[in-house]
């Protein structure tokens, strides 16, 4: 079987996928759920319940009228005891609904899905996906319904199911593929119908060959001839949207554009499973598979966890810690976000929670050495950037230069920092430069808009004055 | 939850790092140089030759240590880069070099070649070659005494039989004269050059062992193949153009040592992939020009030092960024 991959850059970090053979085990729903009201990229949601309300599982508690948004549902039944700012995995605080569990596990009503794909319209399917709060579960949390509603003039040829899962430690997607292969194919078929894409591709890294065989068998059994399962090389960041498109289609997404510009939509396999459940079962996104791993947790494994379950709960339910916890990471070790508190909840975008002890501090030493210009960061950057030059420019506060060096194209995959023998914080500095540039651009745009507004206003006034003058002349005349 | 069990620190991603360290890379280079070093000892006698190598490395390390004191920076002796510079310098010196001269060369290499520019990573020229160039200019006689293999006694070095290097002989007497030294057989000449059984600097004579070390460095991804390939390939092709025996040209002199171990010095070579290829090619062009038209038979050292000046130019050969369909012209870097 042919192995696809992107050409420039990429590394092969130690996999550490020790939870590979642990099937999903459901955790007991938490006594107190902390459900952030906005769990997606896009417009924030507004609460549609009050403190004191009783809610049932699957009840919408936050929604928005904006196009780029996804509603949030109650994940346990019980009483809303508070609504306040609570820690969020992105390091910020987000308005959250705190629900006290009555352990009655009452659903908001009978879940109803569609009967068959053939008899449903595109609009119905999209509505289902939107109403059930489905967002990209690979971590980006882009509302799925929005992704599936491209502008009319764009033609989508292919929907790519992303089963690469290139982050070390994480096995969530792998387990989803092994346990819910049917649903992944269903989800893919749904999305192909919505986008009118002729092809479906399921891309899986070579270190998960059994998942490839399983999905291939399923596709064959169901006699689906427009879905193809392909192998992509085990290489980080193979699962990055841009890298996967390059690997699978040989195309590059133009700067500042979305994958649909090259006729493709990329969806994480977990998202496809959720799409299938939303459409065929009417099930909202109230729980998700999470890899719990790392050296400091007693029982690593894959768990099905209700959204809103805090880390404290997860530690207790998985048998506790084995040693002093020094680093708590939401996501994988390459791109995940370190947390400062155990009070953060699982959200729709939480693919993994990693617990590390003292040893991880050795892995990311604070002492930077001088850059020796070995250019490893250049050779391994999957985007073709010059991390060391951007880093030098950032340290000199030369923002203009970082912009010339395309710092804004950085996908923040962490490869440059990973390979640096001098242990310099390249990714961090490139990210900082990128954010600064974007901020400046925003300010600049706002300035320009304000300037235009004032100009228009002045012109209007001048015109009015002229008209008045004209009228005056008339009177005088 | 037990409070004592949790003490979270927050840092930026990535949270794991590759094992690569500067000292590990430098150790790799030292290991890759071992075959050529041992060959030098074998051909030119363990006694004095070993002394030259030890004096060079020790002086370089001492100079590095003193520089750290003078420039008040963290001790960088343990990153082994000074040791690499010391060993490289030794390998470019004649086997009979006096110890005092070796020590001076190592000090110049480290202090003038590296530290006045700011230490590791900041030197625009290859430090070992800066040291060698200094010695070449200061004591040209000592720097051009070549020892015939297997003739240098342990002490004193003067008991060795001196001779000329193959490139020297060509320069002075022509190719046919050189060939008579190898019984008129090109094959025997190639073999001697390939194995290292000829006069020359301590570490430059055995093309085979340098090649092995170089391939190890390429395989371990410590150096990029483009610099040596561009360098050696260009010398091969251009020599043929100038009607010089191309195989002789690539096997003689310090080409392999320069191409694999000197031109690839991180600080003084280009950081871009494309730049490295063109850098290698330029080095080849310059070397052939030096050998053909220059006053001295060798051209490797000055080729590299001269091209070091142009590295900022090669650094502008930026790779194409993902999603940028046409390579934009960038002017202000």
């Amino acid at each position: 079987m042919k192995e696809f991959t992107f050409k420039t850059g990429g590394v092969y970090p130690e996999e550490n996928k020790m939870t590979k053979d642990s099937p999903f085990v459901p955790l007991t729903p938490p006594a107190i759920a902390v459900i952030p009201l906005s769990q997606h990229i896009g417009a924030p949601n507004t609460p549609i319940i009050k403190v004191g309300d009783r809610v049932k599982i699957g009840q919408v508690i936050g929604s928005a009228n904006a196009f780029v948004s996804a509603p949030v549902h109650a994940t346990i039944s019980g009483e809303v005891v508070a609504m306040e700012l609570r820690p969020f995995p992105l390091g910020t605080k987000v308005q959250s609904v705190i629900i006290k569990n009555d352990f009655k596990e009452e659903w908001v009503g009978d879940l109803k899905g569609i009967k068959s794909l053939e008899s449903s319209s595109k609009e119905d399917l999209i509505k289902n996906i939107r109403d059930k709060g489905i967002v990209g579960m690979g971590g980006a949390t882009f509302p799925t319904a929005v992704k599936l509603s491209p502008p009319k003039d764009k033609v989508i040829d292919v929907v790519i199911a992303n089963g690469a899962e290139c982050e070390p430690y994480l096995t969530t997607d792998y387990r989803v593929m092994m346990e819910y292969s049917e649903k992944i194919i269903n989800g893919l078929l749904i999305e192909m119908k919505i986008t009118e894409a002729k092809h479906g591709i399921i891309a899986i890294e070579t270190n998960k060959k059994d998942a490839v065989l399983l999905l291939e068998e399923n596709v064959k059994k169901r006699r689906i001839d427009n879905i193809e399962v392909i192998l992509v090389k085990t290489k980080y960041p193979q699962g990055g949207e841009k890298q996967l498109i390059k690997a699978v289609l040989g195309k590059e997404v133009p700067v500042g554009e979305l994958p649909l510009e090259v006729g493709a939509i990329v969806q994480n396999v977990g998202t496809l499973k959720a799409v299938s459940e939303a459409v065929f079962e009417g099930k909202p996104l109230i729980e998700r598979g999470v890899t719990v791993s790392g050296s400091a947790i007693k029982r690593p494994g894959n768990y099905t966890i209700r959204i809103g379950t805090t880390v404290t709960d997860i530690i207790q339910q998985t048998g506790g810690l084995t040693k002093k916890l020094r680093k708590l990471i939401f996501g994988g070790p390459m791109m995940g976000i370190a947390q400062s508190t155990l009070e953060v909840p699982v959200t729709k975008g939480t693919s993994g929670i990693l617990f590390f002890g003292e040893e991880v501090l050795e892995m990311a030493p604070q002492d930077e050495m001088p850059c020796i210009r070995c250019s490893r960061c250049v050779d391994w950057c999957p985007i073709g950037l010059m991390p060391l030059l951007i880093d030098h420019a950032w340290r000199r506060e030369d923002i203009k230069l970082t912009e010339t060096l395309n710092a804004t194209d950085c996908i923040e995959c962490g490869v440059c920092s990973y390979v640096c023998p001098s242990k310099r914080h390249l990714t961090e500095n490139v990210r900082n430069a990128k954010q600064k540039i974007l901020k400046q651009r925003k300010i600049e745009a706002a300035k320009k808009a304000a300037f235009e507004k004032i100009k228009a206003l002045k012109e209007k006034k001048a015109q009015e004055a002229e008209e008045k003058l004209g009228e005056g002349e008339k009177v005088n005349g | 939850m037990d409070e004592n069990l949790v003490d979270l620190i927050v840092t930026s991603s990535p949270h794991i790092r590759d094992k690569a360290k500067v000292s590990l890379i430098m150790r790799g280079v030292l290991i890759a140089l071992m075959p050529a070093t041992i060959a030098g000892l074998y051909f030119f006698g363990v006694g004095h030759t070993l002394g030259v190598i030890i004096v060079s490395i020790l002086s370089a390390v001492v100079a590095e240590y003193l520089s750290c004191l003078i420039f008040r920076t963290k001790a960088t002796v343990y990153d082994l880069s000074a040791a690499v510079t010391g060993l490289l310098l030794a390998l470019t010196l004649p086997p009979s070099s006096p110890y005092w001269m070796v020590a001076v060369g190592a000090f110049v290499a480290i202090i003038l070649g590296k530290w006045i520019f700011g230490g590791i990573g900041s030197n625009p020229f290859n430090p070992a070659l800066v040291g060698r160039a200094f010695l070449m200019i200061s004591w040209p006689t000592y720097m051009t005494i070549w020892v015939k293999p297997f003739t240098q006694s342990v002490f004193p070095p003067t008991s060795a039989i001196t001779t000329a290097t193959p490139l020297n002989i060509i320069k002075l007497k022509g190719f046919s004269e050189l060939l008579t030294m190898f019984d008129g057989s090109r094959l025997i000449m190639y073999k001697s050059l390939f194995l290292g059984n000829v006069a020359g600097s301590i570490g430059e004579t055995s093309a085979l062992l340098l090649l092995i070390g170089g391939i190890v460095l390429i395989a371990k991804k410590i150096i990029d193949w483009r610099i040596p390939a561009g360098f050696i390939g260009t010398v091969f092709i251009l020599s043929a153009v100038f009607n010089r025996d191309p195989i002789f040209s690539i096997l003689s002199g310090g080409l392999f040592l320069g191409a694999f171990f000197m031109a690839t010095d991180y600080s003084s070579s280009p950081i871009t992939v494309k730049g490295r290829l063109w850098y290698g090619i330029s080095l080849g062009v310059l070397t052939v020009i030096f050998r053909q038209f220059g006053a001295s038979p060798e051209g490797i050292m000055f080729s590299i030092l001269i091209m070091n000046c142009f590295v900022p130019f090669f650094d502008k050969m930026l790779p194409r960024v993902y999603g940028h369909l046409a390579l934009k012209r960038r002017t202000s870097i």
Side-chain angles (χ1 to χ4, degrees):
Chain A
M1 213 166 165
K2 198 187 161 197
E3 276 178 37
F4 294 81
T5 188
F6 58 98
K7 280 213 183 66
T8 41
V11 289
Y12 182 64
E14 214 182 317
E15 287 178 23
N16 278 315
K17 303 217 181 210
M18 55 249 203
T19 53
K20 216 176 164 203
D21 300 317
S22 325
F24 285 118
V25 174
L27 285 193
T28 315
I32 301 274
V34 179
I35 306 172
L37 272 171
S38 290
Q39 298 181 38
H40 57 265
I41 286 181
N45 289 341
T46 44
I48 53 173
I49 36 97
K50 322 183 281 302
V51 175
D53 280 2
R54 262 195 55 78
V55 292
K56 293 177 181 175
I57 302 178
Q59 185 178 333
V60 176
I61 56 174
S63 78
N65 295 324
F67 179 61
V68 183
S69 79
V72 174
H73 303 78
T75 60
I76 54 173
S77 62
E79 189 191 337
V80 176
V81 290
M83 228 182 314
E84 59 195 24
L85 290 174
R86 285 291 182 100
F88 190 72
L90 287 178
T92 50
K93 286 197 167 181
V94 163
Q95 189 71 22
S96 308
V97 175
I98 292 71
I99 303 172
K100 191 163 177 253
N101 204 342
D102 59 10
F103 291 102
K104 286 183 185 152
E105 288 290 292
E106 264 184 294
W107 279 81
V108 69
D110 282 340
L111 303 183
K112 253 191 282 174
I114 61 156
K115 294 229 163 50
S116 76
L117 210 49
E118 287 75 37
S119 62
S120 311
S121 72
K122 266 169 64 172
E123 289 69 29
D124 282 349
L125 295 174
I126 289 191
K127 189 172 178 303
N128 254 327
I129 293 170
R130 176 176 250 277
D131 291 349
K132 303 305 174 201
I134 312 296
V135 300
M137 289 163 79
T141 66
F142 190 77
T144 304
V146 180
K147 208 177 205 176
L148 296 174
S149 318
K152 289 258 161 2
D153 58 320
K154 300 278 186 264
V155 179
I156 304 296
D157 295 318
V158 56
V159 179
I160 302 170
N162 185 354
E165 194 162 56
C166 54
E167 270 272 11
Y169 289 90
L170 300 191
T171 56
T172 319
D173 291 348
Y174 171 71
R175 290 314 312 175
V176 168
M177 289 190 280
M178 294 307 286
E179 295 173 44
Y180 302 100
S181 54
E182 286 288 317
K183 289 186 179 179
I184 291 171
I185 295 168
N186 285 344
L188 194 52
L189 288 171
I190 293 167
E191 299 208 348
M192 284 161 68
K193 167 149 182 161
I194 293 173
T195 56
E196 293 174 20
K198 285 182 213 74
H199 309 284
I201 291 175
I202 304 171
I204 303 168
E205 276 190 344
T206 43
N207 58 355
K208 309 172 203 39
K209 280 216 170 94
D210 36 359
V212 178
L213 294 177
L214 184 67
L215 278 154
E216 228 171 20
E217 200 186 285
N218 265 320
V219 170
K220 253 185 219 149
K221 211 166 61 195
R222 290 169 66 173
R223 296 213 180 89
I224 303 167
D225 54 6
N226 56 351
I227 291 183
E228 193 188 350
V229 183
I230 65 165
L231 272 178
V232 287
K233 202 171 164 189
T234 307
K235 183 163 136 185
Y236 179 86
Q238 189 70 264
E241 203 167 62
K242 289 181 165 185
Q243 272 56 53
L244 198 62
I245 287 174
K246 178 87 179 179
V248 172
L249 304 177
K251 290 178 185 166
E252 287 186 14
V253 182
V255 180
E257 304 284 355
L258 294 171
L260 53 94
E261 207 59 37
V262 293
I265 279 182
V266 180
Q267 287 270 262
N268 169 269
V269 286
T271 315
L272 291 172
K273 173 199 169 237
V275 163
S276 169
E277 288 176 349
V279 169
F280 285 112
E281 299 161 35
K283 188 182 166 194
L285 192 52
I286 58 149
E287 60 185 9
R288 64 159 298 152
V290 180
T291 298
V292 172
S293 190
S295 57
I297 193 88
K298 201 167 273 167
R299 288 205 300 269
N302 288 294
Y303 298 95
T304 309
I305 304 178
R306 292 283 169 89
I307 284 155
T309 309
T310 58
V311 175
T312 316
D313 263 323
I314 293 168
I315 294 174
Q316 269 160 8
Q317 286 204 46
T318 55
L321 298 168
T322 55
K323 55 177 155 185
K324 192 165 188 160
L325 178 63
R326 293 307 311 275
K327 214 166 199 183
L328 170 66
I329 300 163
F330 266 51
M334 292 299 283
M335 286 189 81
I337 297 166
Q339 304 296 321
S340 59
T341 161
L342 300 183
E343 294 315 307
V344 274
V346 167
T347 68
K348 292 176 184 179
T350 309
S351 49
I353 303 178
L354 305 179
F355 299 81
F356 288 111
E358 202 68 37
E359 81 285 350
V360 85
L361 306 185
E362 266 178 0
M363 287 188 247
Q366 305 302 308
D367 299 321
E368 292 177 298
M369 300 286 288
C371 169
I372 59 168
R373 278 173 56 96
C374 68
S375 64
R376 281 162 168 255
C377 55
V378 178
D379 296 347
W380 276 279
C381 175
I383 295 293
L385 298 176
M386 310 290 286
L388 81 162
L389 294 185
I390 300 173
D391 175 68
H392 291 333
W394 169 257
R395 286 171 203 252
R396 286 199 310 265
E397 296 180 14
D398 189 344
I399 304 298
K400 260 248 143 54
L401 183 52
T402 65
E403 195 169 3
T404 318
L405 289 164
N406 297 304
T408 48
D409 284 302
C410 174
I411 57 168
E412 304 180 24
C413 64
V415 163
C416 48
S417 285
Y418 178 81
V419 297
C420 180
S422 292
K423 311 295 169 196
R424 291 166 77 81
H425 297 187
L426 299 171
T427 312
E428 190 177 345
N429 289 342
V430 176
R431 184 191 292 133
N432 288 340
K434 177 180 164 182
Q435 276 159 5
K436 184 123 189 190
I437 296 165
L438 295 179
K439 207 169 152 190
Q440 272 182 1
R441 281 187 191 164
K442 234 182 190 170
I443 294 171
E444 225 104 298
K447 262 189 199 163
K448 210 176 159 191
F451 183 73
E452 295 286 321
K453 220 172 168 181
I454 291 167
K455 206 172 135 193
L457 217 70
K458 268 186 184 162
E459 272 171 18
K460 204 177 155 197
K461 264 195 181 154
Q463 211 175 357
E464 274 172 6
E466 218 166 84
E467 274 167 23
K468 248 186 201 162
L469 211 66
E471 277 167 27
E473 268 169 15
K474 248 183 229 163
V475 174
N476 286 345
Chain B
M1 184 133 322
D2 188 357
E3 299 259 320
N4 295 327
L5 267 177
V6 181
D7 177 16
L8 294 177
I9 62 151
V10 176
T11 57
S12 182
S13 65
H15 306 287
I16 50 171
R17 302 288 190 117
D18 190 24
K19 285 185 212 65
K21 268 199 299 198
V22 177
S23 55
L24 283 180
I25 292 175
M26 295 300 162
R27 200 178 72 188
V29 176
L30 287 176
I31 291 169
L33 281 168
M34 276 308 119
T37 308
I38 291 164
L41 296 177
Y42 171 72
F43 289 121
F44 302 115
V46 171
H48 188 76
T49 317
L50 185 63
V52 170
I53 294 169
I54 291 172
V55 168
S56 184
I57 294 176
L58 277 182
S59 309
V61 170
V62 168
E64 176 88 2
Y65 183 71
L66 291 178
S67 301
C68 290
L69 288 182
I70 294 165
F71 293 96
R72 293 184 187 157
T73 51
K74 236 182 333 191
T76 48
V77 174
Y78 303 105
D79 68 21
L80 297 180
S81 64
V84 169
T85 303
L87 179 56
L88 279 176
L89 174 68
L91 295 184
T92 65
L93 298 178
S96 59
S97 302
Y99 292 152
W100 59 266
M101 185 184 84
V102 177
V104 170
F107 265 76
V108 168
I110 295 293
I111 294 169
L112 223 58
K114 184 171 164 189
W115 274 94
I116 59 161
F117 297 106
I120 187 166
S122 305
N123 47 295
F125 300 103
N126 183 315
L129 289 182
V130 170
R132 186 179 195 270
F134 183 88
L135 298 181
M136 190 79 201
I137 294 161
S138 307
W139 297 286
T141 356
Y142 283 122
M143 290 296 286
T144 46
I145 298 171
W146 305 107
V147 174
K148 206 173 170 192
F150 306 117
T151 63
Q152 183 163 260
S153 62
V154 177
F155 291 108
T158 40
S159 69
I161 300 170
T162 58
T163 178
T165 66
L167 278 167
N168 251 322
I169 295 165
I170 289 198
K171 190 97 206 162
L172 300 172
K173 298 175 180 163
F175 191 72
S176 49
E177 181 72 25
L178 175 72
L179 216 50
T180 58
M181 294 177 65
F182 297 100
D183 306 336
S185 156
R186 273 182 198 251
L187 220 61
I188 294 175
M189 178 182 74
Y190 292 156
K191 202 176 134 199
S192 301
L193 286 168
F194 192 59
L195 296 177
N197 191 12
V198 288
S201 302
I202 295 173
E204 74 175 25
T205 63
S206 174
L208 170 69
L209 296 176
L210 287 165
L211 188 67
I212 290 171
I215 288 171
V216 167
L217 288 185
I218 291 171
K220 290 266 172 203
K221 300 203 170 173
I222 291 178
I223 62 169
D224 187 355
W225 60 269
R226 288 172 185 84
I227 295 176
F231 197 168
I232 296 166
T234 307
V235 168
F236 185 87
I237 294 166
L238 264 193
S239 296
V241 170
F242 279 109
N243 214 8
R244 293 167 77 107
D245 181 335
I247 298 176
F248 167 80
S249 293
I250 62 167
L251 294 181
S252 60
L255 181 61
F256 276 44
L257 182 62
F260 287 107
F261 297 95
M262 300 285 190
T264 53
D265 168 44
Y266 290 149
S267 300
S268 58
S269 68
I271 48 177
T272 64
V273 172
K274 220 180 297 172
R276 287 195 288 255
L277 182 62
W278 284 106
Y279 176 71
I281 292 170
S282 325
L283 283 168
V285 172
L286 217 54
T287 297
V288 173
I289 291 173
F290 270 125
R291 281 185 177 179
Q292 186 77 6
F293 307 109
S296 87
E298 259 280 17
I300 306 291
M301 176 178 77
F302 284 115
S303 298
I304 295 175
L305 287 174
I306 288 168
M307 285 320 294
N308 282 167
C309 304
F310 292 93
V311 164
F313 167 75
F314 291 106
D315 277 351
K316 287 188 182 173
M317 296 184 169
L318 300 182
R320 197 177 62 78
V321 176
Y322 182 107
H324 291 256
L325 296 181
L327 190 63
K328 261 197 293 179
R329 277 199 177 280
R330 297 181 192 83
T331 44
S332 59
I333 291 168

